[in-house]
């Protein structure tokens, strides 16, 4: 069953019934001010950091689900009936409900008793505010007297503190109301230089800033007392729970339409100019007032929206493709690229499933996210790389996570995830291939943010590589540390204490357990680093890396091969993990996908054998699962992986993030049909028809789809913030369609299904627009290219030596 449809021309997903199986969300803002918005207007907003600068409150994991939002109520002042055009929170039976989730905006609305109302929510570029444009039309034959109410509940900034230390916060809450604008200034009197505001374009018929005055005691957002009564009470919050609510009365003739604009924003003042008059406790509003005035003007709001639209058109315009498969086109051209922006911005911090409190930005996650993002805004990728590298430790290891606001490594989780440093090499390499900006390698970047420790970024890459060489285990494979990519394979944890963190508790010294996956990653990152070194003229160094890579490859072939597939690891007792000798967990996806992706076993048939085993033992109709057989009980020596019931998450769920590794691996063997088949199994658009089973949004990837061992096989969970976005984008664009960035230029090496007659694409790369058409004339992957009519040797198109800014590439596959 479907809950809506794609509108590809408008780049929107249109939800046509509000009761989706789960809230189907969208993100507002893509730079510094962000919001989450569900299809029924639930969600919250924050500035930069979902934990430390939370503007509005949200009630996660609650019943009913998805409460706290940007709620608008309309009240018929003649009959007293009131409702929410976004369905929540009143949940009236609406006509023509729709939610159009678009690129950085959502438009939610409906009709009720002849009154049509839609609200367009978005964050203008380069501003720290959001605009709600409410449009109301009277379709009745008679005049309508309508009160409209707009409301939000302020969060007292630190979302963690807000949820836990309420005894204090019940006393600190403060607001000001001036010229009809509600200012939320809790803690502004002391160490905060920022405040929030909520403004309305029309003269108000009333406001409220005290939650209980608006809702009434013991009432919820579904039936606020003041809305029911038809009159806000002009309450001023003193402690307790500050909110912002505006009431506007309108009188609409039949057929008449009116627009009301609301602006919710965040503003900072210089420390020495916080108060006006100086010495008072009143917010100095001199710099914020013009901003508020500007966006309350519907003409300015429309212009800002148009600007946002153009911005997204240009970002998406960097790569567009036309293939015979609509799901490929839609995801590549619109939604997958869009999701990559969200994962770049949020990492895994703030979604319907991630509270925004628990985790900052992940080191490995953010580096991998670059793969799908770097082409869109390279300057921001550059900044991110330097931020990440600044949290690297002098050992070459890395803090596993850091806080986006402070940009400091997170001490609670610390380091010791032994795959982490290699992802920095992969991220930097992706950046260099995209931009050719070699200057980044000379940027001086500290270790652990310690002043005086600055070294060129290149030095960080060298240390990343050496980190592993200095941590080899008994077989010469990399030691795993706390975990590798699979956070839940905790081979040094041995936890028998409830509540102990599998990730940060290390009960064994960690000198034995080894990871075949990290070995594959090392082979991959080592090659990338060697190519970078060679380009810098460091030939001896490049050769040394390749020697280590060759050695590691040999170690994998002798100690990491199980006979039919790659082993996953050795545990702390030296026993195999992911071997036919194991009772459960005989074969894993990560080592098989990544070793082949890294080119191990391509020349001796082992790669083909490993992928055949993946196909036979791990691939399901809903995607490829992490391992088989699933662990049926808790294994002390394996850790969190066996804590999940079979079929969920890392215990034999379809962890979508790693599926693309197998897709890429398949392309390395020339298996275009298989690669694209795997791609389609987890493509959310292709799963739209099974919405009742899949349950998550059909326009973005989810972290996990339950595997066949689970009673809910095929059900997705944890949508939006997952490395799946970047890896799928990278797999389909660079390996299946084969339009690949390299240090030397754009490589064209499609490995597409045999049934495809070809495809066309546009790629803007280093300032040049490439119009690419691929025609299939035979069944193979051999390609001959002409560039602006001239045949070239090989498949790499170097940047034009002349001033050409448009280049036509034709490729014949035979
Ligand atoms: C999840 C992993 C996650 C880890 C760290 C585990 O419970 O299954 O996917 O990476 O926690 O947050
Ligand atoms: C989610 C984490 O964010 C990511 O870093 C990890 O690789 C996967 N879970 C798999 O455990």
């Amino acid at each position: 069953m479907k809950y809506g449809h794609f509108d590809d021309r408008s780049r929107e997903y249109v939800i046509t019934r509000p009761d989706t199986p789960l809230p189907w969300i969208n993100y507002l803002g893509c730079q510094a001010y962000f919001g989450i918005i569900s299809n029924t207007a639930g969600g919250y907003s924050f500035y930069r950091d979902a934990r430390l600068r939370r503007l509005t409150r949200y009630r996660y994991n609650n019943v009913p689900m998805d409460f706290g939002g940007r709620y608008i109520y309309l009240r018929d002042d003649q009959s007293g009936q009131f409702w929410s055009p976004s369905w929540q929170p009143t949940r009236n039976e609406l006509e023509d409900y729709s939610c159009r989730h678009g690129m950085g905006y959502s438009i939610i609305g409906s009709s009720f008793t002849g009154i049509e109302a839609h609200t367009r929510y978005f964050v203008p570029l380069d501003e720290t505010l959001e605009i709600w444009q409410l449009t109301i039309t009277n379709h009745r034959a008679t005049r309508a007297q309508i009160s409209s109410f707009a409301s939000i509940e302020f969060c007292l900034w630190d979302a963690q503190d807000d949820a836990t230390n309420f005894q204090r916060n019940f006393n600190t809450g403060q607001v000001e109301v001036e010229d009809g604008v509600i200012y939320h200034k809790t803690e502004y009197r002391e160490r905060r230089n920022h405040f929030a505001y909520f403004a309305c374009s029309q003269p108000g018929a009333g406001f409220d800033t005290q939650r209980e005055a608006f809702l009434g005691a013991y009432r919820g957002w579904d039936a606020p007392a003041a809305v029911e009564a038809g009159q806000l009470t002009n309450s001023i919050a003193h402690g307790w729970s500050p909110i912002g609510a505006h009431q506007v009365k309108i009188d609409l003739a039949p057929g008449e339409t009116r627009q009301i604009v609301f602006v919710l924003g965040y503003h900072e003042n210089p420390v020495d100019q916080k108060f006006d008059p100086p010495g008072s406790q009143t917010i100095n509003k001199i710099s914020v007032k013009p901003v508020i005035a500007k966006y309350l003007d519907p003409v300015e709001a429309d212009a800002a929206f148009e600007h946002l639209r153009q911005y997204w058109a240009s970002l998406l315009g960097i790569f567009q493709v036309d293939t015979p498969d609509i799901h490929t086109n839609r995801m590549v051209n619109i939604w997958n690229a869009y999701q990559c922006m969200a994962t770049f911005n949020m990492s895994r911090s703030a979604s319907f499933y991630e509270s925004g409190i628990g985790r900052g930005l992940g080191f490995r996650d953010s580096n991998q996210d670059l793969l799908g993002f770097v082409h869109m805004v390279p300057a921001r990728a550059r900044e991110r790389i330097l931020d990440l590298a600044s949290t690297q430790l002098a050992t070459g290891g890395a803090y596993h996570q850091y806080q986006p606001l402070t940009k400091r490594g997170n001490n609670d989780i610390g380091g010791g995830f032994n795959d982490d440093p290699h992802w920095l090499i992969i991220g930097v390499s992706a950046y260099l291939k995209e931009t050719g900006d070699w200057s980044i390698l000379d940027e001086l970047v500290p270790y652990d943010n310690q002043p005086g420790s600055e070294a060129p970024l290149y030095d960080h890459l060298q240390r990343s590589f050496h980190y592993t060489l200095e941590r080899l285990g008994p077989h010469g494979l990399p030691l795993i540390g706390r975990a590798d990519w699979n956070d839940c394979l905790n081979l040094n944890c041995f936890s028998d204490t409830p509540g102990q963190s599998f990730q940060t508790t290390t009960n064994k010294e960690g000198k034995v357990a080894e990871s075949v996956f990290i070995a594959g990653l090392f082979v991959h990152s080592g090659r990338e680093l060697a190519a970078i070194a060679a380009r810098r003229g460091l030939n001896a160094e490049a050769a040394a890396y390749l020697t280590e890579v060759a050695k590691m490859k040999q170690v994998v072939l002798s100690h990491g091969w199980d006979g039919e597939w790659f082993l996953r690891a050795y545990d702390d007792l030296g026993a195999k993990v992911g071997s036919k000798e194991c009772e459960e967990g005989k074969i894993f996806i990560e080592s098989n996908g990544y070793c082949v992706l890294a080119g191990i076993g391509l020349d001796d048939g082992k790669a083909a054998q490993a992928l055949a085993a993946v196909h036979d033992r791990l691939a399901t109709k809903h995607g490829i699962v992490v391992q088989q057989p699933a662990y049926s009980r808790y294994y002390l020596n394996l850790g969190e992986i066996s804590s999940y019931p079979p079929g969920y998450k890392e215990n034999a769920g379809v962890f979508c993030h790693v599926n693309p590794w197998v897709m890429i691996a398949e392309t390395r063997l020339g298996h275009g049909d298989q690669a694209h088949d795997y791609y389609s199994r987890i493509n959310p658009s292709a799963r739209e028809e099974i919405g009742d089973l899949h349950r998550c949004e059909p326009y973005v990837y989810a972290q996990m789809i339950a595997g066949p061992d689970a009673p809910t096989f095929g059900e997705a969970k944890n949508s939006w913030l997952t490395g799946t976005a970047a890896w799928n984008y990278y797999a389909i664009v660079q390996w299946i369609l084969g339009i690949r960035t390299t240090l030397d230029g754009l490589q064209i090496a499609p490995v597409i299904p045999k049934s495809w007659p070809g495809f066309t694409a546009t790629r803007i790369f280093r300032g040049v627009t490439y119009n690419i058409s691929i025609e299939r004339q035979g069944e193979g992957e051999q390609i001959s290219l002409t560039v602006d009519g001239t045949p070239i040797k090989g498949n790499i198109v170097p940047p034009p030596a002349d001033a050409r800014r448009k280049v036509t590439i034709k490729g014949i596959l035979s």
Side-chain angles (χ1 to χ4, degrees):
M1 142 148 203
K2 286 168 58 169
Y3 291 83
H5 58 268
F6 287 92
D7 178 347
D8 292 338
R9 281 177 67 95
S10 311
R11 299 190 172 116
E12 291 171 340
Y13 190 82
V14 190
I15 301 164
T16 47
R17 46 183 296 176
D19 56 341
T20 46
L22 292 158
W24 284 5
I25 73 164
N26 192 13
Y27 283 87
L28 307 177
C30 57
Q31 295 162 320
Y33 182 102
F34 301 105
I36 289 176
I37 186 163
S38 74
N39 56 308
T40 56
Y44 58 92
S45 302
F46 57 96
Y47 171 72
R48 283 196 193 279
D49 190 310
R51 171 167 173 185
L52 299 175
R53 288 284 188 283
R54 187 79 65 101
L55 266 76
T56 63
R57 230 175 233 165
Y58 188 70
R59 291 183 171 71
Y60 335 86
N61 194 14
N62 218 323
V63 282
M65 64 183 169
D66 188 29
F67 255 83
R70 301 169 182 83
Y71 293 141
I72 286 179
Y73 306 83
L74 298 182
R75 180 177 184 277
D76 185 329
D77 284 337
Q78 288 146 312
S79 70
Q81 193 173 30
F82 66 93
W83 72 99
S84 302
S86 58
W87 192 58
Q88 289 267 50
T90 60
R91 291 202 295 277
N92 295 64
E93 215 162 285
L94 304 169
E95 288 157 39
D96 298 328
Y97 159 87
S98 71
C99 165
R100 305 184 81 96
H101 281 322
M103 306 286 105
Y105 66 90
S106 293
I107 304 169
I108 311 176
S110 59
S111 289
F112 186 74
T113 62
I115 305 295
E116 182 191 334
H118 286 91
T119 311
R120 182 166 78 185
Y121 300 93
F122 70 102
V123 174
L125 290 169
D126 306 320
E127 297 290 4
T128 58
L129 56 88
E130 64 190 69
I131 298 179
W132 313 358
Q133 284 176 283
L134 166 65
T135 309
I136 311 176
T137 305
N138 178 11
H139 291 295
R140 297 179 186 165
T142 53
R143 295 193 78 85
Q145 270 99 50
I146 304 289
S147 272
S148 75
F149 303 86
S151 64
I152 41 104
E153 181 177 10
F154 291 111
C155 179
L156 308 191
W157 305 115
D158 180 332
Q160 164 86 23
D161 180 76
D162 186 73
T164 49
N165 195 15
F166 35 89
Q167 62 79 22
R168 168 180 154 88
N169 300 334
F170 283 160
N171 300 285
T172 56
Q174 285 192 304
V175 297
E176 275 177 39
V177 181
E178 189 178 313
D179 300 334
V181 180
I182 294 167
Y183 295 88
H184 173 230
K185 62 168 193 176
T186 299
E187 292 186 349
Y188 188 74
R189 64 198 307 284
E190 27 136 338
R191 293 153 298 173
R192 295 188 183 277
N193 308 326
H194 46 266
F195 57 90
Y197 56 87
F198 188 42
C200 169
S201 64
Q202 306 300 310
F207 65 85
D208 268 314
T209 68
Q210 179 71 65
R211 190 181 69 198
E212 264 59 51
F214 180 68
L215 295 183
Y218 297 101
R219 284 184 175 232
W221 295 91
D222 54 334
V227 172
E228 193 177 281
Q231 186 57 56
L232 298 191
T233 64
N234 295 355
S235 60
I236 296 290
H238 302 288
W240 297 112
S241 305
I243 63 156
H246 290 287
Q247 177 177 8
V248 174
K249 289 194 179 192
I250 48 177
D251 185 344
L252 291 169
E256 192 182 349
T257 295
R258 205 77 71 75
Q259 189 179 115
I260 309 173
V261 183
F262 301 94
V263 176
L264 171 66
Y266 170 92
H267 197 76
E268 284 175 13
N269 271 338
V271 186
D272 56 351
Q273 292 165 38
K274 280 174 65 170
F275 301 105
D276 178 28
S280 76
Q281 290 288 296
T282 312
I283 301 173
N284 177 357
K285 308 184 182 79
I286 189 148
S287 56
V288 76
K289 277 187 173 169
V291 183
I292 298 175
K294 176 174 176 185
Y295 291 107
L296 287 179
D297 177 349
V299 176
E300 291 285 356
D302 285 349
F305 181 75
E306 199 41 47
H307 191 188
L308 180 67
R309 240 198 212 299
Q310 281 162 12
Y311 179 70
W312 270 105
S314 70
L315 287 187
L316 298 179
I318 296 168
F319 188 77
Q320 287 287 299
V321 71
D322 188 8
T323 78
D325 178 41
I326 185 174
H327 305 297
T328 301
N329 299 346
R330 176 180 283 157
M331 290 309 290
V332 170
N333 294 340
I334 306 170
W335 289 100
N336 194 176
Y338 181 63
Q339 187 179 1
C340 286
M341 171 68 92
T343 56
F344 173 83
N345 283 324
M346 308 287 143
S347 183
R348 312 295 171 262
S349 67
S351 73
F352 181 68
Y353 307 84
E354 302 275 10
S355 66
I357 292 175
R359 308 170 60 169
L361 271 60
F363 189 89
R364 75 156 87 89
D365 295 334
S366 291
N367 274 301
Q368 292 172 78
D369 290 345
L370 293 171
L371 292 172
F373 176 79
V374 63
H375 68 290
M376 284 196 277
V377 196
R380 292 190 66 205
R382 189 182 206 275
E383 186 192 355
R384 176 62 51 79
I385 287 170
L386 300 178
D387 287 349
L388 284 163
S390 306
T391 68
Q392 189 174 23
L393 301 163
T395 57
Y399 279 103
H400 197 50
Q401 288 160 12
Y402 78 98
Q403 239 10 77
L405 192 74
T406 61
K407 298 190 173 178
R408 290 290 188 277
N410 179 341
N411 277 315
D412 295 345
I413 187 145
F417 295 74
N418 285 351
D419 63 317
D420 272 339
H422 292 279
W423 297 113
L424 181 66
I425 301 178
I426 309 267
V428 170
S429 165
Y431 175 80
L432 291 173
K433 289 175 183 174
E434 178 65 38
T435 60
D437 167 21
W438 291 83
S439 74
I440 192 172
L441 296 177
D442 300 320
E443 289 283 347
L444 293 177
V445 184
Y447 287 97
D448 190 8
N449 280 293
Q450 293 307 311
S453 68
E454 291 80 3
L457 178 64
Y458 186 68
D459 185 76
H460 287 248
L461 305 188
Q462 293 170 314
R463 290 199 203 182
S464 291
F465 188 77
H466 285 284
Y467 179 86
T468 294
L469 285 180
E470 288 155 14
R471 286 166 185 77
L472 297 177
H475 298 92
L477 289 162
L479 292 172
I480 195 168
R482 287 181 162 165
D484 58 21
W485 172 87
N486 190 328
D487 271 321
C488 300
L489 196 59
N490 313 118
L491 302 181
N492 296 305
C493 186
F494 290 82
S495 176
D496 54 10
T497 307
Q500 211 169 41
S501 159
F502 289 104
Q503 273 76 39
T504 56
T505 308
T506 305
N507 291 324
K508 292 280 165 149
E509 250 192 72
K511 296 271 189 297
V512 178
E514 299 169 297
S515 164
V516 177
F517 164 74
I518 301 182
L521 180 62
F522 176 91
V523 167
H524 180 207
S525 77
R527 288 226 183 84
E528 302 288 307
L529 186 56
I532 294 170
R535 272 305 203 93
R536 302 197 102 202
L538 304 170
N539 291 327
E541 192 179 316
Y545 294 141
L546 292 178
T547 305
E548 295 301 339
V549 162
K551 272 204 254 171
M552 185 64 78
K553 208 172 134 177
Q554 231 17 75
V555 174
V556 171
L557 294 174
S558 9
H559 298 290
W561 180 251
D562 195 49
E564 285 173 70
W565 56 80
F566 293 100
L567 283 175
R568 178 61 176 85
Y570 288 93
D571 71 13
D572 183 62
L573 300 166
K576 293 173 182 171
V577 179
S579 158
K580 57 177 178 292
E581 294 167 17
C582 303
E583 208 183 305
E584 302 186 321
K586 289 174 189 286
I587 171 171
F588 276 69
I589 186 172
E590 300 98 291
S591 47
N592 287 290
Y594 220 96
C595 286
V596 179
L597 176 157
I600 304 174
L602 287 180
D603 40 11
D604 60 7
K606 289 195 169 66
Q609 237 182 319
L611 293 187
V614 167
H615 175 266
D616 295 346
R617 292 163 185 266
L618 299 180
T620 77
K621 62 181 176 180
H622 294 298
I624 309 168
V625 298
V626 174
Q627 94 281 20
Q628 279 293 297
Y631 295 115
S632 59
R633 60 181 177 85
Y634 179 57
Y635 290 78
L636 198 61
N637 58 323
L638 300 179
E640 186 172 2
I641 190 165
S642 58
S643 74
Y644 287 112
Y648 293 112
K649 297 275 284 190
E650 282 88 342
N651 188 12
V654 175
F655 221 93
C656 297
H657 181 145
V658 279
N659 277 232
W661 298 352
V662 179
M663 297 169 204
I664 296 171
E666 291 287 357
T667 67
R668 298 217 59 175
L669 291 172
H671 300 161
D673 280 318
Q674 187 62 72
H676 194 266
D677 178 10
Y678 287 149
Y679 173 76
S680 302
R681 294 185 202 194
I682 61 167
N683 182 324
S685 163
R687 298 174 62 79
E688 189 192 17
E689 299 286 342
I690 52 167
D692 279 332
L693 175 64
H694 186 79
R695 300 183 80 230
C696 282
E697 298 91 331
Y699 42 90
V700 288
Y701 288 97
Q703 182 194 62
M704 199 247 347
I705 298 173
D709 298 290
T712 57
F713 181 35
E715 179 192 36
K717 273 188 201 143
N718 202 348
S719 57
W720 274 102
L721 300 184
T722 158
T724 312
W727 274 104
N728 268 286
Y729 190 83
Y730 178 66
I732 183 75
V733 171
Q734 300 220 17
W735 293 90
I736 299 178
L737 300 173
I739 301 182
R740 186 142 76 236
T741 56
T742 73
L743 296 177
D744 302 316
L746 204 57
Q747 186 170 23
I748 312 290
V751 185
I752 52 175
K754 293 206 177 3
S755 62
W756 285 14
F759 68 88
T760 58
T762 315
R763 174 66 153 98
I764 302 174
F765 176 61
R766 300 194 197 172
V768 178
T769 303
Y770 293 89
N771 284 307
I772 304 162
S773 59
I774 305 296
E775 190 190 324
R776 198 184 250 309
Q777 290 188 353
E779 295 227 312
E781 272 60 55
Q782 218 36 53
I783 191 148
S784 26
L785 294 179
T786 57
V787 175
D788 283 337
T790 311
I792 64 159
K793 274 212 194 103
N795 63 6
I796 297 181
V797 182
D802 50 29
R804 265 176 304 160
R805 282 293 165 265
K806 275 195 176 18
V807 169
T808 302
I809 302 176
K810 284 195 170 25
I812 305 289
L813 280 179
S814 55

